Amino acid sequence: MQQRPLEELENKMGYQFRDKFLLRQALTHSSFANEQKINKQEDYERLEFLGDAVLELVSSEFLFQENKQMSEGQLTRTRASIVCEQALAYCAREFGLEAYILLGKGEERTGGRTKDSIISDVMEAIIGAIYIDGGMQQASAFVHRFILSDLDHKKLFYDAKTILQEFVQQKNNGTLHYQLIREDGPDHDKLFVIEARINEKKIGEGTGKTKKAAEQQAAYEALVSLQR
């Protein structure tokens, strides 16, 4: 896949890098770096390590300041749901980050661009790159803009399975379970379709690259439907 202009991504993120090589490194998967025989490119793993630490600090401070009544345990669980792999990938897809990742040919063929694990790693690497390039204030602004905004809606998605389970238990109107309907695509690029059901009644449907992701989507769709 041809590299899309980095300026396009910078405009979407609302941050212009002084050091463009940092941004390129943050987008470079190890599979791509290993294919470069002449102009060897560093991958994002070290930046991801740094970005993970920055994200944890910024999200911890935000939750601490905004939730005065939360216990340490509640704060820890809430932070974990905000910075988990699936949540970060969800936030990254909102501005199309996956389209700019540099992948090796093999990883591209096997659907690497759609994997939550890779997209979330790159999201953390971007945070690390912004921290080095522009400092803590700019990195914090990025986290607030793309991860800590509209948390009520995002929390509904992140914790959909838990919220739905609690809703069904409170109403005491049946047993919640998830039913695999079908699997589409080749083995290396499966797409799972799953229904959320109360007893045998369908209340939501989701698709995803993993069964877990499809269940999450099905639970979210069910909650949206039930709230209506």
Side-chain angles (χ1 to χ4, degrees):
M1 182 174 178
Q2 187 176 1
Q3 171 71 52
R4 296 178 65 167
L6 296 185
E7 294 79 9
E8 186 179 281
L9 177 59
E10 288 178 312
N11 289 335
K12 289 182 178 181
M13 295 192 305
Y15 180 78
Q16 305 295 317
F17 276 82
R18 291 176 294 181
D19 183 353
K20 305 297 183 185
F21 288 105
L22 269 175
L23 175 56
R24 184 176 171 84
Q25 182 184 346
L27 297 168
T28 301
H29 187 262
S30 57
S31 63
F32 182 89
N34 292 335
E35 287 181 1
Q36 307 308 299
K37 305 300 183 185
I38 301 174
N39 298 317
K40 188 68 175 176
Q41 171 77 33
E42 284 192 72
D43 64 41
Y44 61 62
E45 291 178 3
R46 284 172 53 82
L47 288 174
E48 176 203 346
F49 166 80
L50 182 60
D52 176 68
V54 173
L55 173 59
E56 185 162 315
L57 176 59
V58 173
S59 57
S60 296
E61 182 182 15
F62 172 80
L63 292 172
F64 181 83
Q65 298 294 348
E66 295 295 318
N67 300 276
K68 304 292 187 183
Q69 307 306 315
M70 268 194 184
S71 67
E72 183 270 342
Q74 289 174 310
L75 288 168
T76 299
R77 287 191 295 274
T78 303
R79 183 184 63 197
S81 72
I82 291 172
V83 304
C84 73
E85 180 180 290
Q86 190 174 10
L88 289 180
Y90 176 88
C91 294
R93 287 190 180 102
E94 288 195 313
F95 64 96
L97 178 61
E98 71 278 9
Y100 300 87
I101 300 173
L102 294 168
L103 295 171
K105 294 174 183 176
E107 191 64 56
E108 187 78 71
R109 281 196 302 270
T110 55
R113 199 170 299 280
T114 65
K115 293 177 182 175
D116 285 356
S117 57
I118 291 177
I119 299 171
S120 62
D121 286 350
V122 173
M123 187 69 161
E124 289 181 331
I126 290 286
I127 295 168
I130 293 175
Y131 174 78
I132 293 175
D133 191 74
M136 190 60 163
Q137 186 174 353
Q138 292 291 347
S140 178
F142 177 85
V143 171
H144 277 265
R145 186 181 307 122
F146 291 107
I147 298 172
L148 299 178
S149 62
D150 196 18
L151 271 186
D152 286 342
H153 172 76
K154 288 174 181 172
K155 191 175 188 301
L156 186 65
F157 180 79
Y158 302 158
D159 298 334
K161 289 180 70 176
T162 301
I163 296 170
L164 182 60
Q165 183 67 53
E166 292 173 350
F167 179 86
V168 173
Q169 288 175 344
Q170 288 170 2
K171 297 296 182 180
N172 195 27
N173 59 355
T175 302
L176 172 67
H177 66 102
Y178 297 90
Q179 181 72 43
L180 177 64
I181 303 304
R182 67 179 187 275
E183 301 176 18
D184 298 328
D187 288 341
H188 68 267
D189 193 21
K190 286 276 189 199
L191 191 67
F192 298 93
V193 181
I194 286 178
E195 288 182 357
R197 296 180 177 181
I198 296 178
N199 296 332
E200 293 308 314
K201 181 184 178 182
K202 173 185 171 181
I203 57 172
E205 180 177 300
T207 60
K209 293 292 183 181
T210 65
K211 292 179 181 178
K212 182 179 179 181
E215 288 176 359
Q216 188 84 356
Q217 184 66 42
Y220 174 72
E221 294 299 331
L223 284 170
V224 171
S225 177
L226 290 169
Q227 285 184 342
R228 290 191 187 125

mmCIF file of all heavy atoms in Angstrom, residues 111-126:
data_model
loop_
_atom_site.group_PDB
_atom_site.id
_atom_site.type_symbol
_atom_site.label_atom_id
_atom_site.label_comp_id
_atom_site.label_asym_id
_atom_site.label_seq_id
_atom_site.Cartn_x
_atom_site.Cartn_y
_atom_site.Cartn_z
ATOM 1 N N GLY A 111 -3.844 -8.955 6.927
ATOM 2 C CA GLY A 111 -4.812 -8.098 7.609
ATOM 3 C C GLY A 111 -4.280 -7.305 8.779
ATOM 4 O O GLY A 111 -5.042 -6.903 9.668
ATOM 5 N N GLY A 112 -2.963 -7.034 8.783
ATOM 6 C CA GLY A 112 -2.376 -6.287 9.894
ATOM 7 C C GLY A 112 -2.983 -4.917 10.108
ATOM 8 O O GLY A 112 -3.055 -4.433 11.240
ATOM 9 N N ARG A 113 -3.446 -4.304 9.039
ATOM 10 C CA ARG A 113 -4.005 -2.950 9.133
ATOM 11 C C ARG A 113 -5.321 -2.922 9.907
ATOM 12 O O ARG A 113 -5.781 -1.853 10.333
ATOM 13 C CB ARG A 113 -4.197 -2.375 7.731
ATOM 14 C CG ARG A 113 -4.324 -0.865 7.672
ATOM 15 C CD ARG A 113 -4.267 -0.364 6.238
ATOM 16 N NE ARG A 113 -2.993 -0.707 5.614
ATOM 17 C CZ ARG A 113 -1.870 -0.018 5.802
ATOM 18 N NH1 ARG A 113 -1.867 1.046 6.578
ATOM 19 N NH2 ARG A 113 -0.751 -0.394 5.206
ATOM 20 N N THR A 114 -5.935 -4.068 10.096
ATOM 21 C CA THR A 114 -7.216 -4.126 10.814
ATOM 22 C C THR A 114 -7.064 -4.658 12.243
ATOM 23 O O THR A 114 -8.053 -4.746 12.966
ATOM 24 C CB THR A 114 -8.211 -5.023 10.059
ATOM 25 O OG1 THR A 114 -7.718 -6.379 10.047
ATOM 26 C CG2 THR A 114 -8.413 -4.548 8.634
ATOM 27 N N LYS A 115 -5.854 -5.011 12.652
ATOM 28 C CA LYS A 115 -5.643 -5.617 13.967
ATOM 29 C C LYS A 115 -5.612 -4.557 15.067
ATOM 30 O O LYS A 115 -4.828 -3.602 15.009
ATOM 31 C CB LYS A 115 -4.325 -6.406 13.987
ATOM 32 C CG LYS A 115 -4.311 -7.636 13.093
ATOM 33 C CD LYS A 115 -2.948 -8.321 13.125
ATOM 34 C CE LYS A 115 -2.909 -9.533 12.202
ATOM 35 N NZ LYS A 115 -1.551 -10.134 12.147
ATOM 36 N N ASP A 116 -6.464 -4.745 16.075
ATOM 37 C CA ASP A 116 -6.488 -3.812 17.203
ATOM 38 C C ASP A 116 -5.117 -3.701 17.861
ATOM 39 O O ASP A 116 -4.719 -2.618 18.307
ATOM 40 C CB ASP A 116 -7.507 -4.269 18.248
ATOM 41 C CG ASP A 116 -8.942 -4.012 17.829
ATOM 42 O OD1 ASP A 116 -9.156 -3.407 16.758
ATOM 43 O OD2 ASP A 116 -9.856 -4.417 18.574
ATOM 44 N N SER A 117 -4.397 -4.827 17.945
ATOM 45 C CA SER A 117 -3.099 -4.831 18.632
ATOM 46 C C SER A 117 -2.119 -3.880 17.958
ATOM 47 O O SER A 117 -1.416 -3.113 18.640
ATOM 48 C CB SER A 117 -2.518 -6.252 18.659
ATOM 49 O OG SER A 117 -2.398 -6.774 17.338
ATOM 50 N N ILE A 118 -2.069 -3.892 16.638
ATOM 51 C CA ILE A 118 -1.147 -3.015 15.907
ATOM 52 C C ILE A 118 -1.614 -1.561 15.964
ATOM 53 O O ILE A 118 -0.824 -0.645 16.223
ATOM 54 C CB ILE A 118 -1.000 -3.481 14.444
ATOM 55 C CG1 ILE A 118 -0.255 -4.826 14.398
ATOM 56 C CG2 ILE A 118 -0.273 -2.434 13.600
ATOM 57 C CD1 ILE A 118 -0.112 -5.407 13.009
ATOM 58 N N ILE A 119 -2.894 -1.341 15.740
ATOM 59 C CA ILE A 119 -3.418 0.039 15.727
ATOM 60 C C ILE A 119 -3.237 0.702 17.091
ATOM 61 O O ILE A 119 -2.850 1.875 17.187
ATOM 62 C CB ILE A 119 -4.903 0.053 15.304
ATOM 63 C CG1 ILE A 119 -5.066 -0.521 13.896
ATOM 64 C CG2 ILE A 119 -5.458 1.478 15.352
ATOM 65 C CD1 ILE A 119 -6.505 -0.754 13.491
ATOM 66 N N SER A 120 -3.490 -0.039 18.171
ATOM 67 C CA SER A 120 -3.337 0.531 19.514
ATOM 68 C C SER A 120 -1.868 0.804 19.830
ATOM 69 O O SER A 120 -1.538 1.811 20.474
ATOM 70 C CB SER A 120 -3.945 -0.407 20.567
ATOM 71 O OG SER A 120 -3.284 -1.660 20.593
ATOM 72 N N ASP A 121 -0.976 -0.081 19.370
ATOM 73 C CA ASP A 121 0.461 0.150 19.573
ATOM 74 C C ASP A 121 0.912 1.434 18.874
ATOM 75 O O ASP A 121 1.683 2.227 19.438
ATOM 76 C CB ASP A 121 1.271 -1.027 19.016
ATOM 77 C CG ASP A 121 1.186 -2.274 19.890
ATOM 78 O OD1 ASP A 121 0.658 -2.177 21.011
ATOM 79 O OD2 ASP A 121 1.646 -3.332 19.432
ATOM 80 N N VAL A 122 0.433 1.639 17.645
ATOM 81 C CA VAL A 122 0.805 2.839 16.895
ATOM 82 C C VAL A 122 0.231 4.089 17.573
ATOM 83 O O VAL A 122 0.885 5.136 17.625
ATOM 84 C CB VAL A 122 0.329 2.747 15.428
ATOM 85 C CG1 VAL A 122 0.555 4.065 14.691
ATOM 86 C CG2 VAL A 122 1.062 1.622 14.708
ATOM 87 N N MET A 123 -0.961 3.977 18.118
ATOM 88 C CA MET A 123 -1.563 5.105 18.837
ATOM 89 C C MET A 123 -0.668 5.528 20.002
ATOM 90 O O MET A 123 -0.407 6.722 20.213
ATOM 91 C CB MET A 123 -2.951 4.713 19.345
ATOM 92 C CG MET A 123 -3.749 5.849 19.956
ATOM 93 S SD MET A 123 -4.266 7.062 18.724
ATOM 94 C CE MET A 123 -5.612 7.866 19.612
ATOM 95 N N GLU A 124 -0.166 4.559 20.750
ATOM 96 C CA GLU A 124 0.733 4.871 21.862
ATOM 97 C C GLU A 124 2.060 5.440 21.350
ATOM 98 O O GLU A 124 2.634 6.343 21.968
ATOM 99 C CB GLU A 124 0.975 3.621 22.702
ATOM 100 C CG GLU A 124 -0.241 3.201 23.511
ATOM 101 C CD GLU A 124 0.013 1.983 24.364
ATOM 102 O OE1 GLU A 124 0.851 1.135 23.993
ATOM 103 O OE2 GLU A 124 -0.636 1.863 25.428
ATOM 104 N N ALA A 125 2.547 4.903 20.233
ATOM 105 C CA ALA A 125 3.788 5.418 19.645
ATOM 106 C C ALA A 125 3.631 6.872 19.209
ATOM 107 O O ALA A 125 4.565 7.678 19.361
ATOM 108 C CB ALA A 125 4.211 4.552 18.462
ATOM 109 N N ILE A 126 2.484 7.210 18.660
ATOM 110 C CA ILE A 126 2.195 8.603 18.269
ATOM 111 C C ILE A 126 2.272 9.516 19.497
ATOM 112 O O ILE A 126 2.849 10.613 19.448
ATOM 113 C CB ILE A 126 0.807 8.707 17.612
ATOM 114 C CG1 ILE A 126 0.799 8.041 16.228
ATOM 115 C CG2 ILE A 126 0.355 10.165 17.514
ATOM 116 C CD1 ILE A 126 1.502 8.813 15.138
#
